[in-house]
Amino acid sequence: MRLELGKIKISDIQFGETTKVESGVLFVNKDEIVNLVLEDEHIKSVEVDIAKPGEETRITPVKDVIEPRVKVEGNGEIFPGVISKVDTVGSGRTHVLEGAAIVTCGKIVGFQEGIIDMSGIGAEYTPFSKLNNLCLVIEPADGLKQHEYEHAARMAGLKVATFIGKTGKDVTPNEVEVYETKPIMEAVNEYPDLPKVGYVYMLQTQGLLHDTYVYGVDAKKIVPTILYPTEIMDGAILSGNCVSACDKNTTYHHLNNPIIKDLYAKHGKEFNFVGIIATNENVYLADKERSSNWTAKLCKYLGLDGVIVSQEGFGNPDTDLIMNCKKIETEGIKTVIVTDEYAGRNGASQSLADADPKADAVVTGGNANEVITLPPMKKIIGMLDYTDKIAGGFDGSLSEDGSITAEIQVITGATNELGFNKLSATEY
């Protein structure tokens, strides 16, 4: 598959009478956004606000971050199986509003929503502080259950991102990036002298507000499957979970997976990037065994020489991570794992819940238990009511002056396993 990504650079975001992109500025009609969100009877109200890089603004509790994109040429539409009809995506041309994002936030759902600071030390730990964010503070209808609220908020974010993305359909991009992965036999024959490398993409699928969707299917219902990397750039994988904020893969992470981009950058030069195996992270041992068996089998079937494995979440999924690593290595395939750590506030505790000698090449996102103090902000988008309750917070985290002392895991994307701003897994 060959996909062109037309990057439309967004340098600013403003409210205006018409929703459009003009000279690098994203103008948004607030009423249009409110009306679109309130089409869902599960949502009582929505506040629409803007957060820009460098502002003294705090967004919390954050649920998802989504980059606006639109299909211009090729099969299907963006976010297939959820917003658009089911069709295979990943080819043709897609326009990207680079530098803009939709951020959903509001009443806490699963105690693991996060914080985005647009300035100060907290901004240094999250990639989303560098974006022009359109924020949706969503109030659920009375009596709505947690999982129903999560679904409503998720769909609201995707609908708004799709609506905003369409403003870039007829805009000339600032640059066009081209990504291509050929069918396996063609790919192998094209670079016969280079080692064949694949990417095992572990998705959070533990249920109870810990779900991820592949073409609209809850990924805990799938067996490991092979995907073209470009499918993911068109929204084939979407976040639907409330896993700890620091290592959650938001929809933005999936669309902009830096491991995939690094692999493409070295494709045909240092190695042959064959493709992706998407797998899940299960709760029951039998399911973990099945998925890790299939993952290792597919790695061998593709004739891979090396594999990068990334994890989402921590604790229970550490077992899936080590199972995948151990079984792939047993097939004679070199493996690099990408994970964050929960090593205690002093860094002296066991950092992963599972381990094996075969896991001898590890890229770390850092210790999520590290304590940090976030300074007070002049503007709050959302609410601070739940600061002491979200994962990483504790009684007394929120001070009277508005500063927050908590573990780094409260920051959205802070130690994310996909490696934003971290050592590249391909360096191994």
Side-chain angles (χ1 to χ4, degrees), residues 162-269:
T162 302
F163 176 76
I164 296 294
K166 290 178 180 178
T167 63
K169 189 166 187 177
D170 297 320
V171 177
T172 301
N174 299 90
E175 63 175 317
V176 177
E177 296 177 354
V178 179
Y179 299 93
E180 184 174 15
T181 296
K182 296 181 179 179
I184 183 64
M185 294 307 297
E186 290 183 39
V188 171
N189 292 329
E190 187 176 15
Y191 301 109
D193 298 328
L194 293 179
K196 296 181 289 296
V197 173
Y199 173 32
V200 172
Y201 200 172
M202 291 175 56
L203 307 176
Q204 175 60 250
T205 57
Q206 293 177 281
L208 296 175
L209 302 172
H210 290 63
D211 296 311
T212 305
Y213 297 88
V214 180
Y215 279 98
V217 176
D218 187 336
K220 65 173 171 285
K221 298 178 181 179
I222 71 170
V223 292
T225 187
I226 299 171
L227 292 173
Y228 282 96
T230 54
E231 293 179 79
I232 295 165
M233 297 175 180
D234 267 350
I237 296 179
L238 303 177
S239 175
N241 68 69
C242 298
V243 71
S244 192
C246 67
D247 55 10
K248 166 179 175 163
N249 293 339
T250 65
T251 298
Y252 185 98
H253 286 96
H254 292 304
L255 292 167
N256 294 279
N257 187 308
I259 293 177
I260 295 175
K261 290 187 176 182
D262 281 354
L263 287 166
Y264 266 127
K266 298 183 180 183
H267 173 59
K269 302 171 184 176

Side-chain angles (χ1 to χ4, degrees), residues 196-200 263 272-277 299 302 304-309:
K196 296 181 289 296
V197 173
Y199 173 32
V200 172
L263 287 166
N272 185 352
F273 178 29
V274 173
I276 291 175
I277 299 170
C299 288
L302 293 174
L304 300 179
D305 300 302
V307 170
I308 294 174
V309 185

Side-chain angles (χ1 to χ4, degrees), residues 8-12 14 20-27 171-172 174:
I8 301 167
K9 307 290 186 179
I10 301 300
S11 58
D12 191 17
Q14 301 176 20
K20 62 180 179 179
V21 173
E22 189 173 274
S23 301
V25 179
L26 173 60
F27 293 95
V171 177
T172 301
N174 299 90

Side-chain angles (χ1 to χ4, degrees), residues 22-33:
E22 189 173 274
S23 301
V25 179
L26 173 60
F27 293 95
V28 178
N29 182 305
K30 184 186 293 189
D31 291 338
E32 288 181 330
I33 303 301

Side-chain angles (χ1 to χ4, degrees), residues 121-376:
I121 189 171
E124 299 175 11
Y125 286 88
T126 174
F128 307 125
S129 63
K130 303 174 181 65
L131 304 178
N132 294 283
N133 296 309
L134 182 69
C135 305
L136 311 177
V137 183
I138 298 169
E139 177 69 19
D142 295 338
L144 199 66
K145 295 180 180 179
Q146 285 179 308
H147 69 281
E148 294 173 327
Y149 177 32
E150 185 281 322
H151 179 267
R154 170 163 35 97
M155 293 303 295
L158 294 171
K159 285 165 61 178
V160 172
T162 302
F163 176 76
I164 296 294
K166 290 178 180 178
T167 63
K169 189 166 187 177
D170 297 320
V171 177
T172 301
N174 299 90
E175 63 175 317
V176 177
E177 296 177 354
V178 179
Y179 299 93
E180 184 174 15
T181 296
K182 296 181 179 179
I184 183 64
M185 294 307 297
E186 290 183 39
V188 171
N189 292 329
E190 187 176 15
Y191 301 109
D193 298 328
L194 293 179
K196 296 181 289 296
V197 173
Y199 173 32
V200 172
Y201 200 172
M202 291 175 56
L203 307 176
Q204 175 60 250
T205 57
Q206 293 177 281
L208 296 175
L209 302 172
H210 290 63
D211 296 311
T212 305
Y213 297 88
V214 180
Y215 279 98
V217 176
D218 187 336
K220 65 173 171 285
K221 298 178 181 179
I222 71 170
V223 292
T225 187
I226 299 171
L227 292 173
Y228 282 96
T230 54
E231 293 179 79
I232 295 165
M233 297 175 180
D234 267 350
I237 296 179
L238 303 177
S239 175
N241 68 69
C242 298
V243 71
S244 192
C246 67
D247 55 10
K248 166 179 175 163
N249 293 339
T250 65
T251 298
Y252 185 98
H253 286 96
H254 292 304
L255 292 167
N256 294 279
N257 187 308
I259 293 177
I260 295 175
K261 290 187 176 182
D262 281 354
L263 287 166
Y264 266 127
K266 298 183 180 183
H267 173 59
K269 302 171 184 176
E270 298 180 22
F271 47 71
N272 185 352
F273 178 29
V274 173
I276 291 175
I277 299 170
T279 186
N280 44 26
E281 301 171 354
N282 296 291
V283 175
Y284 296 108
L285 181 59
D287 295 327
K288 293 177 182 290
E289 293 284 8
R290 180 187 303 108
S291 288
S292 56
N293 286 343
W294 274 63
T295 298
K297 176 186 70 174
L298 290 175
C299 288
K300 183 177 181 180
Y301 179 71
L302 293 174
L304 300 179
D305 300 302
V307 170
I308 294 174
V309 185
S310 69
Q311 174 193 11
E312 181 175 15
F314 67 99
N316 189 297
D318 292 349
T319 302
D320 302 83
L321 176 68
I322 298 302
M323 278 186 172
N324 283 322
C325 175
K326 182 168 60 176
K327 293 178 181 180
I328 294 169
E329 286 271 352
T330 300
E331 295 290 353
I333 303 168
K334 296 296 184 181
T335 305
V336 176
I337 62 174
V338 185
T339 179
D340 64 357
E341 305 175 60
Y342 283 76
R345 294 180 184 178
N346 62 0
S349 299
Q350 180 175 325
S351 59
L352 296 177
D354 200 358
D356 189 271
K358 293 184 183 298
D360 58 1
V362 182
V363 176
T364 177
N367 180 18
N369 294 134
E370 178 184 342
V371 175
I372 189 173
T373 297
L374 305 176

